[in-house]
Every structure is written in structure tokens, then in C-alpha cells.
Amino acid sequence: MTVQTPETRKIHLLIVDDEEQFLRATAKRLEVRGFQVTAVDRGEKALEAAEKQTIDIAIVDLKMPGMDGEKTLSALKARHPWMEVIILTGHGSIDSAVKCTQSGAYSYLQKPCELDRLLEVVTEAYKRRVMNKARIKEEKMQELLGPALSQSPLAILEKIRQIEQDAEG
Amino acid sequence: MAQLRELPNDPQAAVTRRTEQYFRRLRFQRKATLLLAVLVPLAVLSLYFHIQFTYTLKASGKIHLAALAESQRNTIDQFLQERVANIVDLLEHFEDAADATTSTMAVCLQRLRRICDSFVDVGLLNAEGIQTGYAGPFPALRGRDYSHEAWFRSLVEGNSEYHISDIYLGFRNKPHFTVAAKQRKGPRLLVARATLDPEKFYMFLRSIGHGRGTDTAIINKDGLYQAVDPKRGELLAPAGYRPPDNKSLGADEIRANGDSIVTAYAWFQRVPWVLVVSQPFRLAYAEMYHVRRIMMIMTVVIVLISGVGIWLTTDRLLRRAQATAESRETLRWQLFHASKLAAIGELAAGVAHEINNPLAAIAATTGVLRDMLDPRFGLEWSREETLKQLDEIDAMVYRARGIITQLMGFARKSQPTLVPCNVNDILDGVVRGLKEHEFLLSGIRLVRDYQRDLPTILADPDRLSQVFLNLINNAGDAVKESGTITLTTRFAEGCIRASVADTGAGIPPELMDKIFLPFYTTKEVGKGTGLGLSISLSIVESMNGRIEVQSQPGAGSTFTVILPLNPEDEFLSRTEKSSDGLGAEKGQEP
């Protein structure tokens, strides 16, 4: 029941939580199910990781020392608009949920949470990510149709490749 | 007395007791003061009026009696005047003493007796004092020589045309008195005289108007009775009372025969006599007694009504005040507790997170174990790995429990047990042993600066230790690797001050207000819940104390626990919270 296929890369998850044991255990369980998991315990480290690698979905805790979950959420969405961020916190409140959703969180879950439930949400998030990427890709391709004739073919090809690469990010 | 709060050393019961004592004393004082304030003037006023009334009414009684005496005297005067006129008239009929024949004299006597039956006899005397004519019950008196008698001498030698004598025995050896007149008949002097019966005289005296229960008598200037009630005294006997002769009319109070009597007197003008009327107090002053009785009854009634009114009103008023004060105290305690509960409500949010984290970690770990057992994942399953995961679960469980314990410590409705504590010992006890060793290893210097003769304070030693431990832990965390922690104790202004000072990073002023909030912490999760300072504060507050903080960012912080030696001194007057630029004070009113 693994998600990956030899051609495609694994879905890359980023978990941010200062609770060590929870971090370790959850990361392990997700890895075993075929995800690539980067686990960090601070918001700043999460940003660093997102710069270095392509992250599909981030799972972020709210209460953390240093940069807290909300700030991390905003920063991630700012730099990586197509990354979906799921908030997973022991600290739930309606106010918090509304704020996070307005800041761009895909979903707001409460700890403790069943792994299957988490996986459901991750799946939906990934679906949206893929669809968004496809849509942007299509929009950008549409743009090319317009002034395409005034540019050289190589330039256009380069643009298309760029679009494809962006879609990967 | 409240039933539920009868625990020994219960500060709340102590406060209630003090309230009761205070109000009991207050009630007594107020009632006494008011009663005195009302009754003393009332008494003084009553006394004044009483004295005035008494004086006035007595004067009035005396005046009445004096008026009576005067009226009686005037009547007697008139009587005597008439008698004199009778005798003078008699003289008109005679030219000479020799004219007085027996029959003529008899006729005269008859005539006289018709006019007034007090006349006993009558006689005519010549200038030599020989009674040439006589009519009356003592025929032997005819021819008697009266020239040496006092009355004759007074009459003949005096200027007055008449003379009235005092009562005397005379030749007849019976008490009588004489009315005599003289007239010049040419070269010769003629004297007529008549005697009057003092008893009849007295009867006349009695017949004229008198007051109730009055006694009238006539006394001469030597104090001998001239006319008197035979039951009261004897003619010519001393009266025992002689009115002053500087006033012609007056009244006195005297005691006679064990009775208090009012005596009015009126001096006669023609005779050296005084008329004396007496009346016992209870009759003379009947009006006064009556009024006084009424006054006294009214005063007593007023006093009773006022007294009862004051008593009840004050009582009710002060009991209401006491109830208000007590309910205020109760409200204060309830507020204190409610604020704790409210803080607990705030805790709930933090607790959710604090408990949820270990729980989530446990769930994740059990999930790992399940994954390990699931053949689909093909994981390596070893005993060591399993045990390791189980250990992790245990660790999480205990962490959760620790949080619950701390929370319960905060939530428990404090009924501390109070014993006399030496703060120096408690403070030192906290740091001795493990903590000291820990600091030593970390290179943290520990300085002790205890005041020697610190007075003992009534407190719960465990709770105090909890507070100190919290502060010392905080100091240790602030100082981290190297620095100094100073423990100080002092006694000033009735309070024990215990300080924990560190040379750590300090607290920025904008965070000062937050540090006592539950779950506020600058530490990482898992290293402290943020409950320590708020619990410490609530403990100190329950002892009526406060915690002062002074901090300089970069230089360090000092936390001072201030505990009043006598918490009940704070009763009914608590200081407000205050804060200045660098320091913040927390405590007392919630």
C-alpha cells in the first residue's frame, strides 16, 4: 500500500512539532507508509528545509518556542504558495482555527489525531496541490499562446520547460 | 458561628471571629454612648425642672398659706378692733367712775355679751386703778386695785387710747385677756375694761375661713400661746416655734413632732401677737406633689421608651452593618476563590494543550508499535525496540500526571494548616542538599543573607516551601551556567521579607505584568508548565502577603515574598496593587 511508483517521487511531508516523541513516532509511521518525511522541531528549521527541498505538504503544530505555528504557517505560505499546510495542534480554539484558515491553512486538526484521519486530510490536500499546479500550468501555457509568435521557438521551449519545472515546485 | 468553617487555624474562621468580636464591642459602645447621650441631658433637665418646680410650687404653697394667715389675722384684727370699739363705746356712757352701779354694769355686760359672747366681764376703773364698777362672774373683783397691773400701767402711761393685753391669769387665776380703753372725762381719766375668754376667742378663730388640715394659733412675742387648739397646745405654754419678727408676713418650713410642716405667720399691728397657720407638707404642697408625680412618671416613661428605642434601633442598625461586613468578607473569599476558578478556566485551554501533547505522543507511539506488528509494512520487530517504545509511553504518561498534579495543586481550595514557622529554616531547607549540589555543578554561586532574629510566622510550611522552590528554580533557570543567586531574609514594618535574587537575563518591563499569569512561560515545552509563579502568588495571597518583583534586563531579577506577621492586621483595610517603572507588586486583593 505504498503511494509511490518507481517513476514518480514520493510525496514529501514536512512535520513541525516541538514534541520530540510525537515527532519521531509520527514521522516513522508516515515513512513506513511510503512518504518522504522531513521532521523538524522549530519553525525556523521548517523554513530552511522548505528552501532546500520541495515540500508538498507541511503539518505544523501551533505552540512552539521561537517562531510559533501561526508565524510558520504565514511564512511558508508566503514563500511557497502551492505548499499545503495542515495545522495539527493540541491547543484548539475556534478563534485560532479561523485565523489559521484565513492565513491559508488547508485544515485544522486537533491532537491526538488518528493517523488514518490525518492521511485522509493529507490526501485531500495533495489533491488540491496537484490540481492547483495543473491549473497554473495551464494558465501559463495559455499565456504563451498569445505573444508566442513574436518569440523564437527556443525561447518558447525554454519558457515551457520553466513552466513545467515550476509546476514541480 | 458558622458550622463549616470551624477548622482550627482556619484563617477564614479567624477573620469571621474577629468580625463578630469587633461588632459585639461596637454594638455595646454605641448603645452605651447613645443612651448616655440621651439620658444624661434628660436627667439633668429633669432634675433642673424638678428643682425649679419644687421651689416654685413650694413658694406658691407658702404664699397661699401666708395669704390665709394674713386673712385670718385681718379678721382677728377686726375682731379686736371691734371689741375695742365696744369698750370705747361703753366709756361714752359714763361720766364718772362713780356712775358705775351694779345694775348699770350688768346692763353693759349684757349688751356686750350680745355683741360678742367672748366677753366674760366688764369693769370701770378710775384714774387710781380702782375698779369701781364691775359686772361678771367674779364679783370679788369689784373694788380691786389694778393700779399695779401691767395692762393698767400700759394703758394709762401709754399714748394709745386702748390696750389689749396678753393672756394672763390675773386675780381670777384663769387665763383671760383684757381689752381696755381710757377716756378723759374733764380732768379725770376713766378706764373701762373687759376680759375676753380665750377659749371662745379661739372658737371664733377657728370659725373663720381656713384651709384643709390647717391649724391656727396666736402666739405672743415671747412665744407663748395666746390662742391655740386645746388638742395641740396649752394656753400660755411655749409654742415651740417663734416666727421671725423682721417680717410682718411670711411662711416657713419647720419640723414638728416628726412631721414636716409649712407655717405661715402674720404679725398683728395693734397687739404684739403673731397669727400662725400651719399645714402639713402633703397638704400644703399637694399641688406640687401632684405635678411632681406626673413629671416623674412621664420622665420614667420617656426614659424607658427612649432607652428601648435606642437599644433596638442601634442593635438593628449595627447588626445590619455586621451582616454587611460579614457578607463582604464572604464575598471577598468567594471572589478570591472564584478568581482562582476563573484562572483554572483559563488553565483549561493551556491544560488541553499540555495534556494533549503527551497523549498525542502516546497515540503516535502505540501506532508505531502497531505498525511494527503489521505484516504489510514488513518492519523489524524486536524486543528491545518494543520496550523502548513502551518506555516512551510511560514517560509521556508520567509527564501528563505531573501536569495534573500541578494543576490540582493550584485548584485545591486551600485549607492550609498553620504552624509557627521560621522562614530562614524553610528557605534554607529548600535549597539545601540537591539544589545546592546542582548549583555547585553548574557553577552557580549561592549566597545566604539571613536575618538572625527573624520572628516566627504562622504559616503552612509545605506551601511556603513550594513558593521558595519555585522562585529558586526560576532563578536557577535564569542564571543557567554561571552567576549568583542570593537568598535574603529581613523583618521590616511588621512583615517578613524573603528575597531570591539572580544575576540572570532579567525581565523586560513589558513582560512584567504577564509573568504571574498561569501558563505564561518563556521556557520550552516540557520544561515547566508556566504554573509555578501563579501558584506561588496564590499561596502567598492566601497568607495575606504579596510578591514584589524588581528586574533590570541584563542585570538580573529579584523576587521578594512579603508576609505580614499578623495577617489579621490587614482586616478591613487592604492596600491596593501598585506598580512602578521597574518593579511590579502582585498580591492581596484578587
Side-chain angles (χ1 to χ4, degrees):
Chain A
M1 191 177 94
T2 55
V3 169
Q4 66 172 70
T5 60
E7 296 80 25
T8 60
R9 63 172 176 81
K10 291 186 189 174
I11 299 179
H12 196 159
L13 301 180
L14 171 65
I15 308 188
V16 192
D17 197 318
D18 62 341
E19 183 66 53
E20 239 187 88
Q21 177 59 17
F22 174 77
L23 195 64
R24 272 202 307 250
T26 309
K28 189 159 181 186
R29 298 189 75 192
L30 288 170
E31 275 174 357
V32 149
R33 280 157 179 77
F35 291 92
Q36 180 182 0
V37 179
T38 303
V40 298
D41 62 358
R42 291 181 72 94
E44 299 91 338
K45 294 188 190 166
L47 286 175
E48 280 172 26
E51 291 300 310
K52 295 202 188 101
Q53 310 159 62
T54 307
I55 306 287
D56 291 310
I57 297 174
I59 301 169
V60 178
D61 183 20
L62 278 186
K63 273 197 74 177
M64 293 188 291
M67 184 189 262
D68 69 17
E70 274 182 39
K71 291 207 192 80
T72 310
L73 161 67
S74 308
L76 284 175
K77 289 303 281 190
R79 299 190 65 81
H80 311 274
W82 309 126
M83 182 194 303
E84 292 303 340
V85 180
I86 299 171
I87 299 291
L88 178 61
T89 180
H91 192 81
S93 84
I94 293 185
D95 280 347
S96 170
V98 166
K99 264 175 67 181
C100 290
T101 312
Q102 283 172 345
S103 299
Y106 180 81
S107 186
Y108 189 96
L109 298 174
Q110 294 217 355
K111 279 195 255 180
C113 177
E114 287 209 5
L115 196 68
D116 288 339
R117 169 90 186 115
L118 182 61
L119 287 176
E120 275 174 23
V121 175
V122 163
T123 309
E124 293 300 310
Y126 188 69
K127 252 200 244 174
R128 186 161 88 167
R129 172 169 161 82
V130 166
M131 276 168 53
N132 281 343
K133 282 190 343 190
R135 180 166 53 84
I136 294 303
K137 186 172 175 181
E138 188 178 323
E139 278 173 12
K140 288 203 172 150
M141 290 301 286
Q142 290 280 7
E143 273 173 35
L144 274 183
L145 286 179
L149 298 170
S150 57
Q151 294 179 31
S152 70
L154 280 176
I156 294 173
L157 275 173
E158 184 57 44
K159 279 217 175 85
I160 294 174
R161 251 175 46 89
Q162 187 61 45
I163 290 171
E164 276 190 332
Q165 197 159 30
D166 284 346
E168 289 297 304
Chain B
M1 273 296 194
Q3 300 88 354
L4 293 175
R5 307 197 184 283
E6 278 284 40
L7 299 173
N9 292 325
D10 179 359
Q12 191 168 352
V15 167
T16 310
R17 248 180 290 125
R18 265 196 67 96
T19 316
E20 281 200 33
Q21 279 172 357
Y22 170 78
F23 272 100
R24 201 174 306 145
R25 211 172 46 231
L26 190 68
R27 274 202 301 277
F28 175 74
Q29 279 175 356
R30 286 284 149 264
K31 285 177 193 168
T33 308
L34 268 179
L35 279 176
L36 279 178
V38 166
L39 293 183
V40 163
L42 191 68
V44 167
L45 210 63
S46 295
L47 200 67
Y48 170 74
F49 275 122
H50 175 82
I51 292 173
Q52 276 298 101
F53 266 176
T54 304
Y55 178 75
T56 307
L57 288 175
K58 276 195 177 176
S60 157
K62 283 192 201 147
I63 286 173
H64 274 140
L65 207 61
L68 184 68
E70 192 181 30
S71 139
Q72 287 186 345
R73 181 208 56 193
N74 289 345
T75 309
I76 301 294
D77 235 358
Q78 197 169 337
F79 173 84
L80 291 174
Q81 210 176 326
E82 281 172 9
R83 304 291 81 76
V84 166
N86 295 149
I87 304 302
V88 168
D89 186 54
L90 192 81
L91 274 174
E92 296 287 317
H93 288 82
F94 292 93
E95 282 300 319
D96 190 71
D99 292 337
T101 62
T102 313
S103 54
T104 322
M105 296 308 292
V107 165
C108 287
L109 184 59
Q110 232 179 15
R111 223 180 338 177
L112 282 176
R113 285 187 67 92
R114 254 211 306 271
I115 296 170
C116 171
D117 69 350
S118 296
F119 282 116
V120 175
D121 60 21
V122 66
L124 208 62
L125 294 91
N126 59 19
E128 285 74 45
I130 308 291
Q131 184 161 248
T132 53
Y134 175 87
F138 306 105
L141 292 176
R142 179 174 308 118
R144 275 291 170 108
D145 180 7
Y146 284 90
S147 57
H148 298 295
E149 293 298 297
W151 65 266
F152 188 81
R153 296 248 64 84
S154 302
L155 179 64
V156 164
E157 287 159 16
N159 288 330
S160 180
E161 294 294 309
Y162 67 92
H163 176 82
I164 306 176
S165 77
D166 284 351
I167 295 189
Y168 65 106
L169 292 173
F171 290 130
R172 64 192 76 187
N173 222 22
K174 271 187 78 173
H176 65 284
F177 67 101
T178 305
V179 176
K182 71 180 180 197
Q183 228 179 60
R184 219 150 245 290
K185 302 278 183 186
R188 281 194 293 270
L189 198 65
L190 199 60
V191 171
R193 103 172 207 308
T195 57
L196 290 133
D197 181 355
E199 278 166 30
K200 292 252 169 61
F201 180 47
Y202 179 72
M203 296 306 286
F204 172 72
L205 186 63
R206 269 184 67 118
S207 71
I208 59 183
H210 57 81
R212 230 171 23 151
T214 54
D215 258 342
T216 308
I218 297 183
I219 304 172
N220 73 356
K221 68 178 185 334
D222 296 322
L224 306 176
Y225 277 125
Q226 306 298 301
V228 68
D229 184 343
K231 286 184 278 208
R232 293 249 183 269
E234 237 183 72
L235 285 174
L236 289 178
Y241 162 66
R242 192 183 172 296
D245 51 18
N246 51 352
K247 279 198 330 188
S248 64
L249 185 66
D252 268 342
E253 288 178 8
I254 59 168
R255 282 193 74 80
N257 309 327
D259 265 335
S260 295
I261 300 184
V262 182
T263 312
Y265 56 89
W267 286 92
F268 291 90
Q269 281 173 339
R270 293 172 220 278
V271 278
W273 294 349
V274 62
L275 185 122
V276 168
V277 183
S278 24
Q279 201 179 21
F281 269 24
R282 72 184 157 73
L283 292 172
Y285 296 144
E287 192 183 312
M288 180 208 82
Y289 284 136
H290 181 63
V291 170
R292 197 167 71 174
R293 212 183 347 254
I294 291 180
M295 259 182 60
M296 265 175 26
I297 292 175
M298 279 190 54
T299 307
V300 165
V301 165
I302 289 177
V303 162
L304 279 179
I305 293 180
S306 313
V308 166
I310 285 171
W311 193 267
L312 290 180
T313 313
T314 312
D315 201 74
R316 190 168 302 156
L317 210 66
L318 286 179
R319 279 198 197 276
R320 194 169 294 167
Q322 180 178 356
T324 306
E326 280 174 354
S327 78
R328 194 181 67 181
E329 275 309 304
T330 309
L331 282 175
R332 196 174 264 140
W333 286 102
Q334 286 177 352
L335 185 63
F336 182 45
H337 187 59
S339 76
K340 243 196 310 200
L341 292 179
I344 291 175
E346 288 163 17
L347 288 186
V351 162
H353 180 258
E354 293 298 326
I355 301 288
N356 277 342
N357 265 349
L359 288 180
I362 292 171
T365 311
T366 56
V368 166
L369 284 171
R370 281 182 212 284
D371 286 353
M372 289 204 307
L373 294 174
D374 193 329
R376 291 175 296 173
F377 299 121
L379 289 173
E380 229 181 76
W381 179 83
S382 71
R383 210 163 155 272
E384 287 80 22
E385 191 57 40
T386 309
L387 286 172
K388 194 170 115 194
Q389 295 303 324
L390 292 174
D391 285 341
E392 292 291 343
I393 291 177
D394 281 345
M396 293 296 109
V397 167
Y398 291 133
R399 211 178 94 201
R401 190 184 74 168
I403 293 169
I404 302 268
T405 307
Q406 262 197 311
L407 177 64
M408 291 319 294
F410 184 71
R412 190 185 321 130
K413 195 172 182 186
S414 30
Q415 299 280 17
T417 47
L418 303 175
V419 293
C421 302
N422 183 314
V423 171
N424 287 343
D425 290 340
I426 295 182
L427 185 56
D428 208 63
V430 163
V431 85
R432 238 188 329 243
L434 282 176
K435 263 301 181 205
E436 213 174 352
H437 189 68
E438 191 184 305
F439 288 156
L440 195 64
L441 289 178
S442 309
I444 299 174
R445 208 171 115 238
L446 186 66
V447 175
R448 292 171 170 82
D449 181 14
Y450 303 147
Q451 180 169 324
R452 278 273 167 78
D453 51 354
L454 207 63
T456 56
I457 187 173
L458 211 60
D460 184 323
D462 289 336
R463 295 295 185 93
L464 262 188
S465 302
Q466 193 177 344
V467 172
F468 291 145
L469 179 62
N470 171 237
L471 296 180
I472 290 171
N473 277 339
N474 286 351
D477 290 332
V479 154
K480 285 194 220 311
E481 289 300 298
S482 66
T484 311
I485 296 180
T486 312
L487 306 177
T488 316
T489 59
R490 290 284 181 271
F491 177 68
E493 293 167 12
C495 294
I496 293 187
R497 307 171 67 94
S499 309
V500 176
D502 67 69
T503 57
I507 304 168
E510 61 267 17
L511 294 182
M512 273 296 202
D513 272 333
K514 294 199 189 151
I515 54 176
F516 287 98
L517 294 176
F519 289 122
Y520 179 84
T521 180
T522 51
K523 295 188 195 143
E524 297 163 8
V525 172
K527 309 219 185 309
T529 56
L531 278 174
L533 267 182
S534 61
I535 292 179
S536 301
L537 181 62
S538 86
I539 290 173
V540 169
E541 271 180 350
S542 78
M543 299 168 65
N544 258 340
R546 51 189 205 278
I547 300 183
E548 266 177 25
V549 182
Q550 283 198 296
S551 183
Q552 189 103 31
S557 316
T558 306
F559 282 74
T560 309
V561 174
I562 300 173
L563 300 168
L565 209 49
N566 189 359
E568 302 184 67
D569 278 347
E570 305 287 306
F571 176 62
L572 286 186
S573 68
R574 300 186 195 257
T575 51
E576 299 297 316
K577 271 190 211 169
S578 68
S579 59
D580 54 33
L582 280 179
E585 228 179 77
K586 294 281 178 181
Q588 291 188 315
E589 286 288 359

